[in-house]
Amino acid sequence: MATKGQKYREWSSNDKFKIIEPLLNYEEAYSSVAKKHNVTKGMLSTWVSKYRKDGIEGLVNKKKPGNKMVKYFTTKNFKSKEEKLEYENMKLRIENEMLKKGFLMKEDGTYVKFTK
């Protein structure tokens, strides 16, 4: 298990399969496999159900979308005009979505929810 401040371990699909193989063959109990590999029984149960539903493809880690603007907040130095335009375009898209959801932007750049 990860402690506070640590990244969680990412398991490859092959590692997941090796861990759940005794469970699929009914050779070991969930609790013993969980202790042996330091994972929760809930995680094992999820892996087993995904494997039974989709096979080894069900165990493949999904790509997480993340924040597309983080690269602009770490460095304000734009390397090209294109990067600067991408940043401005993204800001306008976010502002547009906020307006659609019923928010107003104040002069200081913060948003306030309004009701009709």
CSV table of all heavy atoms in Angstrom, one decimal, residues 4 15-16 31 36 40-41 50 56 59 62-64 73 75 79 82 84 93 95 101-102 106 112 116:
chain,number,residue,atom,x,y,z
A,4,LYS,N,1.1,8.1,2.6
A,4,LYS,CA,0.7,9.5,2.2
A,4,LYS,C,1.8,10.2,1.5
A,4,LYS,O,3.0,10.1,1.9
A,4,LYS,CB,0.4,10.3,3.5
A,4,LYS,CG,-0.2,11.7,3.2
A,4,LYS,CD,-0.6,12.3,4.5
A,4,LYS,CE,-1.2,13.7,4.1
A,4,LYS,NZ,-1.6,14.4,5.3
A,15,ASP,N,1.1,-8.6,-14.7
A,15,ASP,CA,1.2,-8.7,-13.3
A,15,ASP,C,-0.2,-9.0,-12.7
A,15,ASP,O,-0.3,-9.8,-11.8
A,15,ASP,CB,1.8,-7.4,-12.7
A,15,ASP,CG,3.2,-7.2,-13.0
A,15,ASP,OD1,3.9,-8.2,-13.4
A,15,ASP,OD2,3.7,-6.0,-12.9
A,16,LYS,N,-1.2,-8.3,-13.1
A,16,LYS,CA,-2.5,-8.5,-12.6
A,16,LYS,C,-3.0,-9.9,-12.8
A,16,LYS,O,-3.5,-10.6,-11.9
A,16,LYS,CB,-3.5,-7.5,-13.2
A,16,LYS,CG,-3.4,-6.1,-12.8
A,16,LYS,CD,-4.4,-5.2,-13.5
A,16,LYS,CE,-4.1,-3.8,-13.4
A,16,LYS,NZ,-5.1,-2.9,-14.1
A,31,SER,N,-8.3,-13.4,0.6
A,31,SER,CA,-7.6,-12.8,1.7
A,31,SER,C,-6.1,-13.2,1.7
A,31,SER,O,-5.2,-12.4,1.9
A,31,SER,CB,-8.2,-13.2,3.0
A,31,SER,OG,-8.3,-14.6,3.2
A,36,LYS,N,-0.5,-11.6,0.4
A,36,LYS,CA,0.7,-12.0,-0.2
A,36,LYS,C,1.2,-10.9,-1.1
A,36,LYS,O,2.4,-10.6,-1.2
A,36,LYS,CB,0.5,-13.2,-1.0
A,36,LYS,CG,1.8,-13.8,-1.6
A,36,LYS,CD,1.6,-15.0,-2.5
A,36,LYS,CE,0.8,-16.1,-1.9
A,36,LYS,NZ,0.6,-17.2,-2.8
A,40,THR,N,-5.8,-4.9,-1.9
A,40,THR,CA,-7.0,-5.1,-1.2
A,40,THR,C,-7.8,-6.2,-1.9
A,40,THR,O,-7.7,-6.4,-3.1
A,40,THR,CB,-7.9,-3.8,-1.2
A,40,THR,OG1,-8.2,-3.4,-2.5
A,40,THR,CG2,-7.1,-2.6,-0.5
A,41,LYS,N,-8.7,-6.7,-1.1
A,41,LYS,CA,-9.6,-7.8,-1.7
A,41,LYS,C,-10.5,-7.2,-2.7
A,41,LYS,O,-10.9,-7.8,-3.7
A,41,LYS,CB,-10.4,-8.5,-0.6
A,41,LYS,CG,-9.6,-9.4,0.3
A,41,LYS,CD,-10.4,-10.1,1.3
A,41,LYS,CE,-10.7,-9.3,2.5
A,41,LYS,NZ,-11.4,-10.0,3.5
A,50,LYS,N,-13.3,-8.0,-14.2
A,50,LYS,CA,-12.9,-7.5,-15.5
A,50,LYS,C,-12.3,-8.5,-16.4
A,50,LYS,O,-12.5,-8.6,-17.6
A,50,LYS,CB,-11.9,-6.3,-15.3
A,50,LYS,CG,-12.5,-5.0,-14.8
A,50,LYS,CD,-11.5,-3.9,-14.7
A,50,LYS,CE,-12.1,-2.6,-14.3
A,50,LYS,NZ,-11.1,-1.5,-14.2
A,56,ILE,N,-7.9,-10.7,-20.9
A,56,ILE,CA,-6.7,-10.0,-20.6
A,56,ILE,C,-6.8,-8.5,-20.9
A,56,ILE,O,-6.2,-7.6,-20.3
A,56,ILE,CB,-5.4,-10.6,-21.2
A,56,ILE,CG1,-4.1,-10.1,-20.5
A,56,ILE,CG2,-5.3,-10.3,-22.7
A,56,ILE,CD1,-3.9,-10.8,-19.2
A,59,LEU,N,-7.8,-6.1,-18.2
A,59,LEU,CA,-6.9,-5.8,-17.1
A,59,LEU,C,-5.9,-4.7,-17.6
A,59,LEU,O,-5.1,-4.2,-16.7
A,59,LEU,CB,-6.0,-7.0,-16.8
A,59,LEU,CG,-6.8,-8.2,-16.2
A,59,LEU,CD1,-5.9,-9.4,-16.0
A,59,LEU,CD2,-7.5,-7.8,-14.9
A,62,LYS,N,-6.3,2.0,-18.1
A,62,LYS,CA,-6.9,3.0,-18.9
A,62,LYS,C,-6.1,4.3,-18.8
A,62,LYS,O,-5.6,4.6,-17.8
A,62,LYS,CB,-8.4,3.3,-18.5
A,62,LYS,CG,-9.3,2.1,-18.5
A,62,LYS,CD,-9.5,1.5,-19.8
A,62,LYS,CE,-10.5,0.4,-19.8
A,62,LYS,NZ,-10.0,-0.9,-19.5
A,63,LYS,N,-5.9,5.0,-19.9
A,63,LYS,CA,-5.2,6.3,-19.9
A,63,LYS,C,-6.1,7.3,-19.2
A,63,LYS,O,-7.2,7.5,-19.6
A,63,LYS,CB,-4.8,6.7,-21.3
A,63,LYS,CG,-4.0,8.0,-21.3
A,63,LYS,CD,-3.2,8.0,-22.6
A,63,LYS,CE,-2.5,9.4,-22.8
A,63,LYS,NZ,-1.4,9.6,-21.9
A,64,LYS,N,-5.5,8.1,-18.3
A,64,LYS,CA,-6.2,9.1,-17.6
A,64,LYS,C,-6.0,10.4,-18.3
A,64,LYS,O,-4.9,10.7,-18.8
A,64,LYS,CB,-5.7,9.2,-16.2
A,64,LYS,CG,-6.0,7.9,-15.4
A,64,LYS,CD,-5.3,8.0,-14.0
A,64,LYS,CE,-5.5,6.7,-13.3
A,64,LYS,NZ,-4.7,5.6,-13.8
A,73,PHE,N,0.8,26.4,-17.0
A,73,PHE,CA,0.9,27.0,-15.6
A,73,PHE,C,2.3,26.7,-15.0
A,73,PHE,O,2.7,27.5,-14.2
A,73,PHE,CB,-0.2,26.4,-14.7
A,73,PHE,CG,-1.5,26.9,-15.1
A,73,PHE,CD1,-2.5,26.0,-15.5
A,73,PHE,CD2,-1.9,28.2,-15.1
A,73,PHE,CE1,-3.8,26.4,-15.9
A,73,PHE,CE2,-3.1,28.6,-15.5
A,73,PHE,CZ,-4.1,27.7,-15.9
A,75,THR,N,5.2,26.8,-16.7
A,75,THR,CA,6.1,27.9,-17.3
A,75,THR,C,5.2,28.8,-18.1
A,75,THR,O,4.4,28.4,-19.0
A,75,THR,CB,7.1,27.2,-18.3
A,75,THR,OG1,6.4,26.5,-19.3
A,75,THR,CG2,8.0,26.3,-17.6
A,79,LYS,N,7.2,28.9,-25.9
A,79,LYS,CA,8.3,28.7,-26.9
A,79,LYS,C,7.9,29.2,-28.3
A,79,LYS,O,8.8,29.5,-29.0
A,79,LYS,CB,8.6,27.2,-26.9
A,79,LYS,CG,9.2,26.7,-25.6
A,79,LYS,CD,9.6,25.3,-25.6
A,79,LYS,CE,10.2,25.0,-24.3
A,79,LYS,NZ,9.8,23.7,-23.8
A,82,GLU,N,2.5,29.7,-31.6
A,82,GLU,CA,1.5,28.6,-31.7
A,82,GLU,C,1.1,28.2,-30.3
A,82,GLU,O,-0.1,28.0,-30.0
A,82,GLU,CB,2.0,27.4,-32.5
A,82,GLU,CG,1.0,26.4,-32.7
A,82,GLU,CD,1.5,25.2,-33.6
A,82,GLU,OE1,1.9,25.5,-34.7
A,82,GLU,OE2,1.6,24.1,-33.0
A,84,LYS,N,1.3,30.0,-27.5
A,84,LYS,CA,0.6,31.1,-26.9
A,84,LYS,C,-0.9,31.1,-27.4
A,84,LYS,O,-1.8,31.3,-26.6
A,84,LYS,CB,1.3,32.4,-27.2
A,84,LYS,CG,0.7,33.6,-26.5
A,84,LYS,CD,1.4,34.9,-26.7
A,84,LYS,CE,0.8,36.0,-25.9
A,84,LYS,NZ,1.5,37.2,-26.0
A,93,ARG,N,-12.2,28.7,-24.4
A,93,ARG,CA,-13.1,27.5,-24.4
A,93,ARG,C,-13.6,27.3,-23.0
A,93,ARG,O,-14.8,27.0,-22.8
A,93,ARG,CB,-12.4,26.2,-24.8
A,93,ARG,CG,-12.2,26.2,-26.3
A,93,ARG,CD,-11.6,24.8,-26.7
A,93,ARG,NE,-11.2,24.8,-28.1
A,93,ARG,CZ,-10.4,24.0,-28.7
A,93,ARG,NH1,-9.9,23.0,-27.9
A,93,ARG,NH2,-10.1,24.0,-29.9
A,95,GLU,N,-13.8,29.5,-20.6
A,95,GLU,CA,-14.8,30.6,-20.2
A,95,GLU,C,-16.1,30.4,-20.9
A,95,GLU,O,-17.2,30.6,-20.3
A,95,GLU,CB,-14.2,31.9,-20.7
A,95,GLU,CG,-15.0,33.2,-20.4
A,95,GLU,CD,-14.3,34.5,-20.8
A,95,GLU,OE1,-13.2,34.5,-21.3
A,95,GLU,OE2,-15.0,35.5,-20.7
A,101,LYS,N,-22.8,27.2,-18.3
A,101,LYS,CA,-23.3,26.5,-17.1
A,101,LYS,C,-23.8,27.5,-16.1
A,101,LYS,O,-24.2,27.2,-15.0
A,101,LYS,CB,-22.1,25.7,-16.5
A,101,LYS,CG,-21.8,24.5,-17.3
A,101,LYS,CD,-20.7,23.8,-16.7
A,101,LYS,CE,-20.3,22.6,-17.6
A,101,LYS,NZ,-19.2,21.8,-17.1
A,102,GLY,N,-23.9,28.8,-16.5
A,102,GLY,CA,-24.6,29.8,-15.6
A,102,GLY,C,-23.6,30.5,-14.7
A,102,GLY,O,-24.0,31.0,-13.6
A,106,LYS,N,-16.2,37.8,-12.9
A,106,LYS,CA,-16.0,39.2,-12.4
A,106,LYS,C,-14.7,39.8,-13.0
A,106,LYS,O,-14.0,39.1,-13.7
A,106,LYS,CB,-15.9,39.1,-10.9
A,106,LYS,CG,-17.2,38.6,-10.2
A,106,LYS,CD,-17.3,38.7,-8.7
A,106,LYS,CE,-16.1,38.4,-7.9
A,106,LYS,NZ,-16.3,38.4,-6.5
A,112,VAL,N,-18.7,33.7,-10.6
A,112,VAL,CA,-19.8,33.7,-9.7
A,112,VAL,C,-21.0,33.0,-10.3
A,112,VAL,O,-21.3,33.3,-11.5
A,112,VAL,CB,-20.1,35.1,-9.3
A,112,VAL,CG1,-21.3,35.2,-8.3
A,112,VAL,CG2,-18.9,35.8,-8.7
A,116,LYS,N,-31.4,32.7,-12.4
A,116,LYS,CA,-32.4,33.5,-13.1
A,116,LYS,C,-33.6,33.8,-12.3
A,116,LYS,O,-34.0,33.1,-11.4
A,116,LYS,CB,-32.8,32.8,-14.4
A,116,LYS,CG,-31.7,32.7,-15.4
A,116,LYS,CD,-32.2,32.0,-16.6
A,116,LYS,CE,-31.0,31.8,-17.6
A,116,LYS,NZ,-31.3,31.1,-18.8
